[in-house]
mmCIF file of all heavy atoms in Angstrom:
data_model
loop_
_atom_site.group_PDB
_atom_site.id
_atom_site.type_symbol
_atom_site.label_atom_id
_atom_site.label_comp_id
_atom_site.label_asym_id
_atom_site.label_seq_id
_atom_site.Cartn_x
_atom_site.Cartn_y
_atom_site.Cartn_z
ATOM 1 N N SER A 1 -13.593 14.242 15.723
ATOM 2 C CA SER A 1 -14.377 14.875 14.664
ATOM 3 C C SER A 1 -13.967 16.325 14.489
ATOM 4 O O SER A 1 -13.425 16.955 15.403
ATOM 5 C CB SER A 1 -15.876 14.796 14.980
ATOM 6 O OG SER A 1 -16.212 15.614 16.082
ATOM 7 N N THR A 2 -14.217 16.843 13.291
ATOM 8 C CA THR A 2 -14.079 18.262 13.004
ATOM 9 C C THR A 2 -15.183 18.653 12.027
ATOM 10 O O THR A 2 -15.757 17.800 11.345
ATOM 11 C CB THR A 2 -12.729 18.637 12.349
ATOM 12 O OG1 THR A 2 -12.748 18.246 10.970
ATOM 13 C CG2 THR A 2 -11.554 17.990 13.062
ATOM 14 N N CYS A 3 -15.439 19.954 11.939
ATOM 15 C CA CYS A 3 -16.331 20.468 10.896
ATOM 16 C C CYS A 3 -15.481 21.121 9.806
ATOM 17 O O CYS A 3 -15.826 22.169 9.260
ATOM 18 C CB CYS A 3 -17.361 21.433 11.460
ATOM 19 S SG CYS A 3 -16.672 22.810 12.404
ATOM 20 N N SER A 4 -14.360 20.466 9.498
ATOM 21 C CA SER A 4 -13.437 20.920 8.458
ATOM 22 C C SER A 4 -13.472 19.961 7.275
ATOM 23 O O SER A 4 -13.706 18.766 7.445
ATOM 24 C CB SER A 4 -12.012 20.996 9.019
ATOM 25 O OG SER A 4 -11.059 21.121 7.974
ATOM 26 N N LEU A 5 -13.191 20.476 6.096
ATOM 27 C CA LEU A 5 -13.097 19.656 4.890
ATOM 28 C C LEU A 5 -11.663 19.255 4.577
ATOM 29 O O LEU A 5 -11.427 18.500 3.626
ATOM 30 C CB LEU A 5 -13.657 20.439 3.688
ATOM 31 C CG LEU A 5 -15.104 20.901 3.779
ATOM 32 C CD1 LEU A 5 -15.447 21.785 2.576
ATOM 33 C CD2 LEU A 5 -16.058 19.717 3.849
ATOM 34 N N GLU A 6 -10.714 19.712 5.367
ATOM 35 C CA GLU A 6 -9.307 19.601 4.999
ATOM 36 C C GLU A 6 -8.659 18.320 5.521
ATOM 37 O O GLU A 6 -8.777 17.997 6.699
ATOM 38 C CB GLU A 6 -8.534 20.820 5.517
ATOM 39 C CG GLU A 6 -9.252 22.148 5.365
ATOM 40 C CD GLU A 6 -9.783 22.405 3.963
ATOM 41 O OE1 GLU A 6 -9.062 22.108 2.987
ATOM 42 O OE2 GLU A 6 -10.915 22.894 3.833
ATOM 43 N N ARG A 7 -7.921 17.627 4.652
ATOM 44 C CA ARG A 7 -7.221 16.395 5.055
ATOM 45 C C ARG A 7 -6.222 16.663 6.175
ATOM 46 O O ARG A 7 -6.021 15.806 7.044
ATOM 47 C CB ARG A 7 -6.487 15.789 3.854
ATOM 48 C CG ARG A 7 -7.359 14.954 2.927
ATOM 49 C CD ARG A 7 -6.496 14.201 1.922
ATOM 50 N NE ARG A 7 -5.508 13.359 2.587
ATOM 51 C CZ ARG A 7 -5.720 12.117 3.016
ATOM 52 N NH1 ARG A 7 -6.909 11.568 2.852
ATOM 53 N NH2 ARG A 7 -4.753 11.419 3.591
ATOM 54 N N GLU A 8 -5.582 17.838 6.160
ATOM 55 C CA GLU A 8 -4.594 18.143 7.194
ATOM 56 C C GLU A 8 -5.190 18.082 8.588
ATOM 57 O O GLU A 8 -4.486 17.756 9.556
ATOM 58 C CB GLU A 8 -4.003 19.545 6.993
ATOM 59 C CG GLU A 8 -3.349 19.778 5.655
ATOM 60 C CD GLU A 8 -4.270 20.494 4.699
ATOM 61 O OE1 GLU A 8 -5.389 20.002 4.461
ATOM 62 O OE2 GLU A 8 -3.862 21.563 4.190
ATOM 63 N N GLU A 9 -6.469 18.395 8.706
ATOM 64 C CA GLU A 9 -7.128 18.422 10.008
ATOM 65 C C GLU A 9 -7.874 17.122 10.313
ATOM 66 O O GLU A 9 -8.346 16.945 11.439
ATOM 67 C CB GLU A 9 -8.121 19.586 10.060
ATOM 68 C CG GLU A 9 -7.497 20.947 9.871
ATOM 69 C CD GLU A 9 -8.532 22.041 9.949
ATOM 70 O OE1 GLU A 9 -8.847 22.458 11.072
ATOM 71 O OE2 GLU A 9 -9.039 22.459 8.887
ATOM 72 N N ASN A 10 -7.974 16.254 9.341
ATOM 73 C CA ASN A 10 -8.806 15.061 9.486
ATOM 74 C C ASN A 10 -8.001 13.782 9.336
ATOM 75 O O ASN A 10 -7.400 13.298 10.291
ATOM 76 C CB ASN A 10 -9.958 15.133 8.477
ATOM 77 C CG ASN A 10 -10.878 16.305 8.751
ATOM 78 O OD1 ASN A 10 -11.138 16.638 9.900
ATOM 79 N ND2 ASN A 10 -11.361 16.950 7.707
ATOM 80 N N GLU A 11 -7.964 13.222 8.132
ATOM 81 C CA GLU A 11 -7.278 11.951 7.918
ATOM 82 C C GLU A 11 -5.820 11.985 8.360
ATOM 83 O O GLU A 11 -5.327 11.022 8.966
ATOM 84 C CB GLU A 11 -7.362 11.543 6.435
ATOM 85 C CG GLU A 11 -8.731 11.104 5.986
ATOM 86 C CD GLU A 11 -9.599 12.238 5.462
ATOM 87 O OE1 GLU A 11 -9.225 13.426 5.672
ATOM 88 O OE2 GLU A 11 -10.643 11.956 4.849
ATOM 89 N N GLU A 12 -5.140 13.076 8.064
ATOM 90 C CA GLU A 12 -3.723 13.137 8.400
ATOM 91 C C GLU A 12 -3.488 13.175 9.909
ATOM 92 O O GLU A 12 -2.489 12.613 10.402
ATOM 93 C CB GLU A 12 -3.073 14.337 7.710
ATOM 94 C CG GLU A 12 -3.005 14.178 6.194
ATOM 95 C CD GLU A 12 -2.358 15.368 5.496
ATOM 96 O OE1 GLU A 12 -1.701 16.186 6.193
ATOM 97 O OE2 GLU A 12 -2.505 15.479 4.269
ATOM 98 N N VAL A 13 -4.376 13.806 10.658
ATOM 99 C CA VAL A 13 -4.261 13.813 12.115
ATOM 100 C C VAL A 13 -4.460 12.409 12.666
ATOM 101 O O VAL A 13 -3.682 11.929 13.509
ATOM 102 C CB VAL A 13 -5.291 14.786 12.735
ATOM 103 C CG1 VAL A 13 -5.358 14.600 14.251
ATOM 104 C CG2 VAL A 13 -4.935 16.222 12.400
ATOM 105 N N VAL A 14 -5.493 11.725 12.190
ATOM 106 C CA VAL A 14 -5.778 10.371 12.680
ATOM 107 C C VAL A 14 -4.674 9.399 12.269
ATOM 108 O O VAL A 14 -4.247 8.550 13.070
ATOM 109 C CB VAL A 14 -7.157 9.902 12.163
ATOM 110 C CG1 VAL A 14 -7.383 8.426 12.490
ATOM 111 C CG2 VAL A 14 -8.263 10.751 12.780
ATOM 112 N N GLU A 15 -4.196 9.501 11.044
ATOM 113 C CA GLU A 15 -3.104 8.618 10.592
ATOM 114 C C GLU A 15 -1.855 8.823 11.430
ATOM 115 O O GLU A 15 -1.187 7.848 11.821
ATOM 116 C CB GLU A 15 -2.809 8.893 9.114
ATOM 117 C CG GLU A 15 -3.903 8.406 8.174
ATOM 118 C CD GLU A 15 -3.779 8.977 6.766
ATOM 119 O OE1 GLU A 15 -2.763 9.682 6.504
ATOM 120 O OE2 GLU A 15 -4.682 8.740 5.943
ATOM 121 N N TRP A 16 -1.535 10.082 11.722
ATOM 122 C CA TRP A 16 -0.374 10.372 12.573
ATOM 123 C C TRP A 16 -0.561 9.743 13.950
ATOM 124 O O TRP A 16 0.377 9.130 14.499
ATOM 125 C CB TRP A 16 -0.215 11.885 12.702
ATOM 126 C CG TRP A 16 0.816 12.297 13.718
ATOM 127 C CD1 TRP A 16 2.150 12.469 13.511
ATOM 128 C CD2 TRP A 16 0.580 12.556 15.118
ATOM 129 N NE1 TRP A 16 2.768 12.826 14.693
ATOM 130 C CE2 TRP A 16 1.828 12.878 15.694
ATOM 131 C CE3 TRP A 16 -0.554 12.544 15.918
ATOM 132 C CZ2 TRP A 16 1.958 13.200 17.036
ATOM 133 C CZ3 TRP A 16 -0.419 12.856 17.260
ATOM 134 C CH2 TRP A 16 0.825 13.178 17.805
ATOM 135 N N PHE A 17 -1.752 9.891 14.529
ATOM 136 C CA PHE A 17 -2.014 9.364 15.866
ATOM 137 C C PHE A 17 -1.880 7.839 15.891
ATOM 138 O O PHE A 17 -1.236 7.272 16.788
ATOM 139 C CB PHE A 17 -3.414 9.769 16.308
ATOM 140 C CG PHE A 17 -3.844 9.174 17.617
ATOM 141 C CD1 PHE A 17 -3.367 9.663 18.820
ATOM 142 C CD2 PHE A 17 -4.728 8.097 17.651
ATOM 143 C CE1 PHE A 17 -3.752 9.110 20.033
ATOM 144 C CE2 PHE A 17 -5.129 7.541 18.860
ATOM 145 C CZ PHE A 17 -4.641 8.043 20.045
ATOM 146 N N LEU A 18 -2.452 7.165 14.925
ATOM 147 C CA LEU A 18 -2.418 5.699 14.919
ATOM 148 C C LEU A 18 -1.010 5.160 14.695
ATOM 149 O O LEU A 18 -0.659 4.082 15.198
ATOM 150 C CB LEU A 18 -3.370 5.163 13.844
ATOM 151 C CG LEU A 18 -4.863 5.388 14.123
ATOM 152 C CD1 LEU A 18 -5.705 4.934 12.936
ATOM 153 C CD2 LEU A 18 -5.292 4.669 15.400
ATOM 154 N N LYS A 19 -0.193 5.896 13.960
ATOM 155 C CA LYS A 19 1.200 5.483 13.774
ATOM 156 C C LYS A 19 1.997 5.604 15.066
ATOM 157 O O LYS A 19 2.974 4.871 15.275
ATOM 158 C CB LYS A 19 1.850 6.331 12.681
ATOM 159 C CG LYS A 19 1.417 5.958 11.270
ATOM 160 C CD LYS A 19 2.114 6.850 10.246
ATOM 161 C CE LYS A 19 1.662 6.501 8.835
ATOM 162 N NZ LYS A 19 2.281 7.393 7.821
ATOM 163 N N SER A 20 1.577 6.519 15.935
ATOM 164 C CA SER A 20 2.320 6.753 17.177
ATOM 165 C C SER A 20 1.784 5.937 18.350
ATOM 166 O O SER A 20 2.401 5.919 19.414
ATOM 167 C CB SER A 20 2.271 8.245 17.538
ATOM 168 O OG SER A 20 0.943 8.645 17.847
ATOM 169 N N ARG A 21 0.639 5.267 18.156
ATOM 170 C CA ARG A 21 0.013 4.514 19.245
ATOM 171 C C ARG A 21 -0.360 3.118 18.760
ATOM 172 O O ARG A 21 -1.125 2.961 17.805
ATOM 173 C CB ARG A 21 -1.264 5.232 19.721
ATOM 174 C CG ARG A 21 -1.065 6.633 20.254
ATOM 175 C CD ARG A 21 -0.419 6.627 21.618
ATOM 176 N NE ARG A 21 -1.244 6.011 22.626
ATOM 177 C CZ ARG A 21 -1.835 6.676 23.624
ATOM 178 N NH1 ARG A 21 -1.696 7.992 23.714
ATOM 179 N NH2 ARG A 21 -2.548 6.040 24.526
ATOM 180 N N ASP A 22 0.164 2.089 19.453
ATOM 181 C CA ASP A 22 -0.222 0.724 19.090
ATOM 182 C C ASP A 22 -1.367 0.205 19.955
ATOM 183 O O ASP A 22 -1.790 -0.943 19.826
ATOM 184 C CB ASP A 22 0.971 -0.231 19.180
ATOM 185 C CG ASP A 22 1.602 -0.267 20.574
ATOM 186 O OD1 ASP A 22 1.026 0.346 21.512
ATOM 187 O OD2 ASP A 22 2.664 -0.885 20.728
ATOM 188 N N ASP A 23 -1.909 1.063 20.839
ATOM 189 C CA ASP A 23 -3.008 0.643 21.695
ATOM 190 C C ASP A 23 -4.361 1.164 21.194
ATOM 191 O O ASP A 23 -5.378 1.033 21.879
ATOM 192 C CB ASP A 23 -2.793 1.094 23.138
ATOM 193 C CG ASP A 23 -2.595 2.600 23.281
ATOM 194 O OD1 ASP A 23 -2.238 3.250 22.280
ATOM 195 O OD2 ASP A 23 -2.799 3.131 24.392
ATOM 196 N N PHE A 24 -4.380 1.747 19.995
ATOM 197 C CA PHE A 24 -5.631 2.193 19.379
ATOM 198 C C PHE A 24 -5.717 1.673 17.955
ATOM 199 O O PHE A 24 -4.695 1.556 17.267
ATOM 200 C CB PHE A 24 -5.721 3.725 19.347
ATOM 201 C CG PHE A 24 -6.200 4.344 20.626
ATOM 202 C CD1 PHE A 24 -5.300 4.663 21.636
ATOM 203 C CD2 PHE A 24 -7.549 4.617 20.824
ATOM 204 C CE1 PHE A 24 -5.733 5.240 22.819
ATOM 205 C CE2 PHE A 24 -7.991 5.190 22.012
ATOM 206 C CZ PHE A 24 -7.087 5.506 23.008
ATOM 207 N N GLN A 25 -6.918 1.383 17.530
ATOM 208 C CA GLN A 25 -7.144 1.058 16.130
ATOM 209 C C GLN A 25 -8.429 1.732 15.650
ATOM 210 O O GLN A 25 -9.353 1.956 16.434
ATOM 211 C CB GLN A 25 -7.233 -0.455 15.911
ATOM 212 C CG GLN A 25 -8.445 -1.116 16.537
ATOM 213 C CD GLN A 25 -8.487 -2.613 16.273
ATOM 214 O OE1 GLN A 25 -7.443 -3.240 16.036
ATOM 215 N NE2 GLN A 25 -9.673 -3.200 16.306
ATOM 216 N N ALA A 26 -8.444 2.060 14.372
ATOM 217 C CA ALA A 26 -9.621 2.701 13.799
ATOM 218 C C ALA A 26 -10.688 1.670 13.475
ATOM 219 O O ALA A 26 -10.376 0.566 13.013
ATOM 220 C CB ALA A 26 -9.240 3.459 12.535
ATOM 221 N N ILE A 27 -11.936 2.004 13.759
ATOM 222 C CA ILE A 27 -13.065 1.198 13.298
ATOM 223 C C ILE A 27 -13.452 1.778 11.942
ATOM 224 O O ILE A 27 -14.267 2.705 11.843
ATOM 225 C CB ILE A 27 -14.238 1.248 14.293
ATOM 226 C CG1 ILE A 27 -13.761 0.839 15.693
ATOM 227 C CG2 ILE A 27 -15.378 0.352 13.835
ATOM 228 C CD1 ILE A 27 -14.836 0.948 16.764
ATOM 229 N N SER A 28 -12.822 1.256 10.896
ATOM 230 C CA SER A 28 -12.901 1.890 9.584
ATOM 231 C C SER A 28 -14.321 1.975 9.054
ATOM 232 O O SER A 28 -14.669 2.917 8.318
ATOM 233 C CB SER A 28 -12.014 1.150 8.575
ATOM 234 O OG SER A 28 -12.376 -0.220 8.515
ATOM 235 N N SER A 29 -15.170 1.032 9.432
ATOM 236 C CA SER A 29 -16.548 1.035 8.933
ATOM 237 C C SER A 29 -17.353 2.220 9.476
ATOM 238 O O SER A 29 -18.420 2.542 8.955
ATOM 239 C CB SER A 29 -17.253 -0.275 9.312
ATOM 240 O OG SER A 29 -17.315 -0.409 10.727
ATOM 241 N N GLU A 30 -16.828 2.878 10.519
ATOM 242 C CA GLU A 30 -17.552 4.001 11.126
ATOM 243 C C GLU A 30 -16.947 5.359 10.786
ATOM 244 O O GLU A 30 -17.408 6.387 11.279
ATOM 245 C CB GLU A 30 -17.636 3.808 12.639
ATOM 246 C CG GLU A 30 -18.421 2.562 13.041
ATOM 247 C CD GLU A 30 -18.978 2.673 14.442
ATOM 248 O OE1 GLU A 30 -19.510 3.743 14.779
ATOM 249 O OE2 GLU A 30 -18.864 1.679 15.181
ATOM 250 N N THR A 31 -15.908 5.374 9.963
ATOM 251 C CA THR A 31 -15.355 6.648 9.504
ATOM 252 C C THR A 31 -16.327 7.289 8.518
ATOM 253 O O THR A 31 -16.812 6.637 7.600
ATOM 254 C CB THR A 31 -13.992 6.444 8.819
ATOM 255 O OG1 THR A 31 -13.074 5.879 9.761
ATOM 256 C CG2 THR A 31 -13.440 7.766 8.307
ATOM 257 N N VAL A 32 -16.625 8.561 8.731
ATOM 258 C CA VAL A 32 -17.654 9.245 7.939
ATOM 259 C C VAL A 32 -17.169 10.622 7.527
ATOM 260 O O VAL A 32 -16.492 11.313 8.287
ATOM 261 C CB VAL A 32 -18.967 9.403 8.745
ATOM 262 C CG1 VAL A 32 -20.004 10.171 7.936
ATOM 263 C CG2 VAL A 32 -19.520 8.059 9.157
ATOM 264 N N ARG A 33 -17.525 11.009 6.303
ATOM 265 C CA ARG A 33 -17.410 12.389 5.853
ATOM 266 C C ARG A 33 -18.770 12.827 5.324
ATOM 267 O O ARG A 33 -19.443 12.055 4.637
ATOM 268 C CB ARG A 33 -16.369 12.537 4.733
ATOM 269 C CG ARG A 33 -14.992 13.013 5.182
ATOM 270 C CD ARG A 33 -14.174 13.325 3.951
ATOM 271 N NE ARG A 33 -12.816 13.741 4.215
ATOM 272 C CZ ARG A 33 -12.435 15.011 4.346
ATOM 273 N NH1 ARG A 33 -13.336 15.975 4.283
ATOM 274 N NH2 ARG A 33 -11.170 15.315 4.534
ATOM 275 N N THR A 34 -19.176 14.030 5.644
ATOM 276 C CA THR A 34 -20.380 14.604 5.051
ATOM 277 C C THR A 34 -19.993 15.864 4.286
ATOM 278 O O THR A 34 -18.998 16.517 4.614
ATOM 279 C CB THR A 34 -21.439 14.947 6.112
ATOM 280 O OG1 THR A 34 -20.886 15.900 7.039
ATOM 281 C CG2 THR A 34 -21.887 13.695 6.857
ATOM 282 N N TRP A 35 -20.813 16.198 3.272
ATOM 283 C CA TRP A 35 -20.468 17.294 2.363
ATOM 284 C C TRP A 35 -21.692 18.180 2.111
ATOM 285 O O TRP A 35 -22.792 17.661 1.895
ATOM 286 C CB TRP A 35 -19.979 16.740 1.025
ATOM 287 C CG TRP A 35 -18.803 15.852 1.127
ATOM 288 C CD1 TRP A 35 -18.811 14.502 1.372
ATOM 289 C CD2 TRP A 35 -17.434 16.223 1.005
ATOM 290 N NE1 TRP A 35 -17.526 14.016 1.398
ATOM 291 C CE2 TRP A 35 -16.658 15.043 1.173
ATOM 292 C CE3 TRP A 35 -16.780 17.434 0.754
ATOM 293 C CZ2 TRP A 35 -15.277 15.052 1.103
ATOM 294 C CZ3 TRP A 35 -15.397 17.439 0.680
ATOM 295 C CH2 TRP A 35 -14.659 16.259 0.852
ATOM 296 N N PRO A 36 -21.501 19.500 2.080
ATOM 297 C CA PRO A 36 -22.631 20.387 1.786
ATOM 298 C C PRO A 36 -23.284 20.106 0.434
ATOM 299 O O PRO A 36 -24.509 20.119 0.314
ATOM 300 C CB PRO A 36 -21.989 21.784 1.807
ATOM 301 C CG PRO A 36 -20.807 21.641 2.719
ATOM 302 C CD PRO A 36 -20.290 20.255 2.467
ATOM 303 N N HIS A 37 -22.476 19.844 -0.610
ATOM 304 C CA HIS A 37 -23.028 19.676 -1.946
ATOM 305 C C HIS A 37 -23.552 18.275 -2.213
ATOM 306 O O HIS A 37 -24.355 18.077 -3.121
ATOM 307 C CB HIS A 37 -21.988 20.047 -3.010
ATOM 308 C CG HIS A 37 -20.746 19.215 -2.976
ATOM 309 N ND1 HIS A 37 -19.932 19.147 -1.867
ATOM 310 C CD2 HIS A 37 -20.160 18.414 -3.913
ATOM 311 C CE1 HIS A 37 -18.895 18.361 -2.131
ATOM 312 N NE2 HIS A 37 -19.018 17.901 -3.352
ATOM 313 N N ARG A 38 -23.142 17.301 -1.432
ATOM 314 C CA ARG A 38 -23.627 15.927 -1.624
ATOM 315 C C ARG A 38 -24.752 15.575 -0.661
ATOM 316 O O ARG A 38 -25.704 14.881 -1.036
ATOM 317 C CB ARG A 38 -22.481 14.930 -1.418
ATOM 318 C CG ARG A 38 -21.326 15.060 -2.382
ATOM 319 C CD ARG A 38 -20.299 13.987 -2.068
ATOM 320 N NE ARG A 38 -19.032 14.202 -2.753
ATOM 321 C CZ ARG A 38 -17.946 13.468 -2.530
ATOM 322 N NH1 ARG A 38 -17.984 12.482 -1.636
ATOM 323 N NH2 ARG A 38 -16.822 13.725 -3.176
ATOM 324 N N ASP A 39 -24.633 16.015 0.568
ATOM 325 C CA ASP A 39 -25.547 15.579 1.626
ATOM 326 C C ASP A 39 -26.480 16.675 2.125
ATOM 327 O O ASP A 39 -27.348 16.402 2.951
ATOM 328 C CB ASP A 39 -24.742 15.035 2.819
ATOM 329 C CG ASP A 39 -23.789 13.928 2.416
ATOM 330 O OD1 ASP A 39 -24.261 12.950 1.826
ATOM 331 O OD2 ASP A 39 -22.584 14.062 2.676
ATOM 332 N N GLU A 40 -26.282 17.916 1.669
ATOM 333 C CA GLU A 40 -27.054 19.062 2.153
ATOM 334 C C GLU A 40 -26.918 19.224 3.668
ATOM 335 O O GLU A 40 -27.870 19.570 4.368
ATOM 336 C CB GLU A 40 -28.535 18.953 1.762
ATOM 337 C CG GLU A 40 -28.785 19.020 0.276
ATOM 338 C CD GLU A 40 -30.270 19.025 -0.050
ATOM 339 O OE1 GLU A 40 -31.022 18.210 0.542
ATOM 340 O OE2 GLU A 40 -30.682 19.846 -0.879
ATOM 341 N N THR A 41 -25.735 18.942 4.170
ATOM 342 C CA THR A 41 -25.414 19.141 5.584
ATOM 343 C C THR A 41 -24.121 19.939 5.659
ATOM 344 O O THR A 41 -23.483 20.222 4.641
ATOM 345 C CB THR A 41 -25.192 17.796 6.306
ATOM 346 O OG1 THR A 41 -23.966 17.205 5.817
ATOM 347 C CG2 THR A 41 -26.341 16.836 6.070
ATOM 348 N N ASP A 42 -23.720 20.280 6.886
ATOM 349 C CA ASP A 42 -22.374 20.808 7.051
ATOM 350 C C ASP A 42 -21.358 19.723 6.736
ATOM 351 O O ASP A 42 -21.655 18.529 6.784
ATOM 352 C CB ASP A 42 -22.173 21.307 8.484
ATOM 353 C CG ASP A 42 -22.842 22.655 8.730
ATOM 354 O OD1 ASP A 42 -23.229 23.314 7.751
ATOM 355 O OD2 ASP A 42 -22.985 23.043 9.902
ATOM 356 N N GLY A 43 -20.155 20.150 6.403
ATOM 357 C CA GLY A 43 -19.093 19.194 6.108
ATOM 358 C C GLY A 43 -18.390 18.769 7.381
ATOM 359 O O GLY A 43 -17.712 19.569 8.034
ATOM 360 N N PHE A 44 -18.544 17.502 7.753
ATOM 361 C CA PHE A 44 -17.922 16.957 8.957
ATOM 362 C C PHE A 44 -17.061 15.752 8.608
ATOM 363 O O PHE A 44 -17.322 15.046 7.624
ATOM 364 C CB PHE A 44 -18.983 16.509 9.968
ATOM 365 C CG PHE A 44 -19.353 17.542 10.998
ATOM 366 C CD1 PHE A 44 -20.257 18.544 10.705
ATOM 367 C CD2 PHE A 44 -18.784 17.514 12.266
ATOM 368 C CE1 PHE A 44 -20.607 19.497 11.643
ATOM 369 C CE2 PHE A 44 -19.128 18.462 13.212
ATOM 370 C CZ PHE A 44 -20.040 19.450 12.912
ATOM 371 N N TYR A 45 -16.059 15.534 9.435
ATOM 372 C CA TYR A 45 -15.260 14.310 9.395
ATOM 373 C C TYR A 45 -15.372 13.651 10.761
ATOM 374 O O TYR A 45 -15.274 14.324 11.789
ATOM 375 C CB TYR A 45 -13.792 14.632 9.108
ATOM 376 C CG TYR A 45 -12.852 13.453 9.265
ATOM 377 C CD1 TYR A 45 -12.694 12.516 8.248
ATOM 378 C CD2 TYR A 45 -12.119 13.276 10.433
ATOM 379 C CE1 TYR A 45 -11.831 11.443 8.389
ATOM 380 C CE2 TYR A 45 -11.248 12.212 10.590
ATOM 381 C CZ TYR A 45 -11.104 11.305 9.561
ATOM 382 O OH TYR A 45 -10.246 10.231 9.717
#
């Protein structure tokens, strides 16, 4: 997780990791983003 809104720190990091490791897989149904303007929370990935 991060409290960043940036793809470079979020999706791109996870995509890079999964491409380099065949012993991990993402549980896609549990991937979450929150947004200050949509959710009235901090922005987390």
Side-chain angles (χ1 to χ4, degrees):
S1 69
T2 76
C3 54
S4 166
L5 301 174
E6 319 309 318
R7 278 190 57 86
E8 303 98 304
E9 299 181 84
N10 296 323
E11 289 90 347
E12 292 180 15
V13 169
V14 172
E15 289 166 5
W16 171 88
F17 175 76
L18 292 175
K19 285 180 181 178
S20 66
R21 300 286 296 250
D22 58 7
D23 56 339
F24 277 88
Q25 67 179 25
I27 305 176
S28 56
S29 62
E30 297 203 44
T31 299
V32 177
R33 262 189 182 267
T34 60
W35 302 86
H37 61 301
R38 298 181 192 173
D39 305 305
E40 295 185 315
T41 69
D42 283 346
F44 266 81
Y45 171 82

